[in-house]
Amino acid sequence: MLVAGSARAELLIRITEGADSAIPIAVVPFAESGAMPAGDKVSSIVQANLTMSGEFRPLEPSRMLSLPAQRSEVYFRDWRMLGQRYVLVGQLNRSGDRIEARYELFDVNREQRILGETAGASVNSVRTLAHHISDRVYEAITGDPGVFSTKLAYITLNRTGNDTRYRLQVSDLDGKRARVRLESQEPILSPAWSPDGKQLAYVSFETGKPVVFTHELATGERKKAADFPGLNSAPAWSPDGKSLLLTLSKDGNAEIYRLDIASGNLTRLTNHWAIDTEGAWDHTGKGIFFTSDRSGGPQIYHMERLGAEPKRITFGSRYNARARPDAKGEYVYYVHQRNRAFHIARINLKSGEESVITRTESDESPSVSPNGRMLIYATQRNGTSVLTVVSANGGAAYSLPAADGDVREPAWGPIVR
């Protein structure tokens, strides 16, 4: 086993399906003053981010009639003629090792500025600056916070001859700036983010059995959180970051427990002859969702408050598992079997309506974006495991395959202010 912080091959990005309702927006190449670092331009990253969301359809710069950098240079008639609803302009200025961006977003039809800000970053953090601008633009238009500055955690698997390597990696949302956080010849499973984005919990088989670890990303410090006899699996942080949901079989049967991290105290939350597993906190932080086969096959149950009688919420097929609720309490996403294929589905918690949102057929490990508008999951494409991101209603998608090997078990990080 090797703990590492080295860079690895980044994920690739492939837009696989767009949304018909995507909003037309022009991201004008930013004017530049001073020597800029080599690589992707800020405006190019912003354009790519908005495209990935599935909610925007950026205009190619080659089709633009002009390249304004500030309000006085924007001719709204030209942008209306091109069918654009919004236009983003900006200027980049370098001073020493800092880059400052001044940017403005305009509503073309109303001819009004709806966002005007200044932001800065070091010359080595151009991508961070671009993700920040993307978040602000997204929020100004949709009303929901952007998630382009969030991180992804995932597992890659590479096989070379008899050598098998599992790597826990963390990257930007677009797969860039990937870094290995843990490397092992034994399986690594179920990464889960702490709510402050500073730690990951996961399952590692490095000792020959499943053990749950917590991992401080800044220092690399790792601690065993659960190393009981039998199964230790499926960690999920509480919204306050003080406890973990775990699936343990230390008492003979797989049940859901709550672990207080500071004291190490365990509280058993389920007590049934069936298998109870894959706990997830609901949006209130007072109740949990979990998978149980107590009705004869895997189904999702909701315990409205700890200790309450669980209520089954999925009925649309014989197999529904791995619940992942959104942060607003509107939907729960899960793995759903239909006609021998596995899809990602969601249930409206108010109406009870269940709907399949993916078109792929070997889907697993859903993870919901912090703003509830996107979903990432693992699936098979041409015999290889890849990550796919879809808009929450299934209207748009892009994939993140690894440069080589398989990529699986995605976990979407929190918004960190």
Side-chain angles (χ1 to χ4, degrees):
M1 186 272 295
L2 170 68
V3 178
S6 58
R8 290 285 175 178
E10 296 170 335
L11 300 179
L12 308 174
I13 181 165
R14 297 172 183 162
I15 305 295
T16 57
E17 189 170 351
D20 294 336
S21 60
I23 299 169
I25 184 172
V27 180
V28 180
F30 287 7
E32 297 179 354
S33 176
M36 296 296 157
D40 292 332
K41 301 293 186 181
V42 168
S43 54
S44 298
I45 298 171
V46 173
Q47 178 175 320
N49 283 341
L50 296 177
T51 301
M52 284 190 302
S53 74
E55 298 186 60
F56 294 91
R57 186 171 63 252
L59 180 70
E60 287 299 323
S62 61
R63 294 186 56 207
M64 297 177 184
L65 301 179
S66 61
L67 301 177
Q70 55 190 339
R71 169 66 177 86
S72 61
E73 299 170 351
V74 176
Y75 296 97
F76 292 104
R77 182 182 62 181
D78 291 350
W79 299 107
R80 280 195 295 268
M81 186 171 63
L82 292 170
Q84 302 306 296
R85 287 181 57 186
Y86 299 94
V87 58
L88 175 69
V89 302
Q91 305 172 58
L92 299 173
N93 295 281
R94 178 170 179 171
S95 177
D97 64 352
R98 296 282 297 176
I99 294 177
E100 182 182 83
R102 289 180 290 171
Y103 57 95
E104 299 173 282
L105 177 67
F106 298 95
D107 183 311
V108 173
N109 292 330
R110 293 189 297 163
E111 299 189 7
Q112 291 181 355
R113 189 178 82 163
I114 59 175
L115 179 66
E117 294 181 343
T118 299
S122 73
V123 293
N124 297 320
S125 301
V126 169
R127 299 196 68 84
T128 300
L129 177 61
H131 293 325
H132 169 78
I133 295 171
S134 304
D135 288 338
R136 298 296 294 133
V137 170
Y138 185 95
E139 185 169 8
I141 295 174
T142 69
D144 284 325
V147 294
F148 306 108
S149 297
T150 59
K151 299 293 185 179
L152 288 180
Y154 52 89
I155 309 299
T156 55
L157 171 60
N158 296 85
R159 294 187 179 92
T160 304
N162 294 324
D163 184 42
T164 299
R165 294 285 170 175
Y166 294 87
R167 296 183 177 98
L168 171 64
Q169 305 206 45
V170 173
S171 76
D172 286 2
L173 180 60
D174 56 8
K176 303 297 184 181
R177 297 192 293 192
R179 298 189 69 84
V180 173
R181 299 298 182 168
L182 179 72
E183 181 171 335
S184 176
Q185 292 181 309
E186 303 301 327
I188 306 168
L189 303 171
S190 305
W193 287 93
S194 63
D196 61 6
K198 295 180 179 180
Q199 296 185 73
L200 285 170
Y202 51 81
V203 179
S204 174
F205 282 72
E206 65 199 61
T207 63
K209 56 169 287 193
V211 177
V212 175
F213 287 84
T214 58
H215 189 137
E216 186 81 33
L217 294 177
T219 64
E221 181 182 6
R222 305 168 70 226
K223 296 179 181 178
K224 287 183 179 180
D227 186 14
F228 298 100
L231 182 69
N232 302 274
S233 68
W237 296 84
S238 61
D240 62 8
K242 295 180 179 180
S243 61
L244 287 171
L245 290 180
L246 300 168
T247 300
L248 307 175
S249 64
K250 68 183 190 66
D251 296 321
N253 192 53
E255 303 284 357
I256 308 293
Y257 291 77
R258 178 181 183 176
L259 170 70
D260 182 275
I261 295 174
S263 67
N265 291 335
L266 274 177
T267 304
R268 184 168 173 170
L269 303 181
T270 63
N271 191 355
H272 199 276
W273 56 263
I275 295 174
D276 296 330
T277 185
E278 300 174 336
W281 295 93
D282 66 19
H283 76 289
T284 68
K286 299 177 180 179
I288 63 170
F289 296 95
F290 63 94
T291 305
S292 177
D293 65 355
R294 60 184 66 191
S295 58
Q299 297 293 338
I300 306 298
Y301 287 77
H302 183 217
M303 184 183 291
E304 188 172 342
R305 64 184 185 281
L306 301 186
E309 183 67 22
K311 177 183 177 182
R312 178 177 168 180
I313 66 169
T314 54
F315 296 89
S317 80
R318 59 190 297 179
Y319 183 103
N320 295 290
R322 197 157 184 170
R324 291 295 181 265
D326 67 14
K328 299 178 181 179
E330 295 177 352
Y331 296 97
V332 172
Y333 298 81
Y334 50 91
V335 179
H336 166 89
Q337 185 181 16
R338 178 175 294 185
N339 298 328
R340 298 184 180 180
F342 290 90
H343 304 285
I344 306 301
R346 73 177 184 180
I347 183 170
N348 184 309
L349 291 173
K350 290 184 178 179
S351 68
E353 179 184 3
E354 297 179 72
S355 56
V356 175
I357 65 170
T358 61
R359 297 172 179 82
T360 42
E361 296 186 346
S362 300
D363 306 338
E364 60 185 21
S365 306
S367 183
V368 188
S369 68
N371 64 5
R373 298 181 71 131
M374 301 165 73
L375 179 85
I376 190 167
Y377 64 97
T379 191
Q380 291 285 322
R381 178 167 292 130
N382 299 323
T384 301
S385 294
V386 302
L387 304 185
T388 294
V389 178
V390 296
S391 52
N393 61 7
Y398 69 92
S399 65
L400 290 165
D404 64 279
D406 291 344
V407 57
R408 55 187 65 182
E409 299 274 344
W412 203 313
I415 294 174
V416 179
R417 300 296 187 185

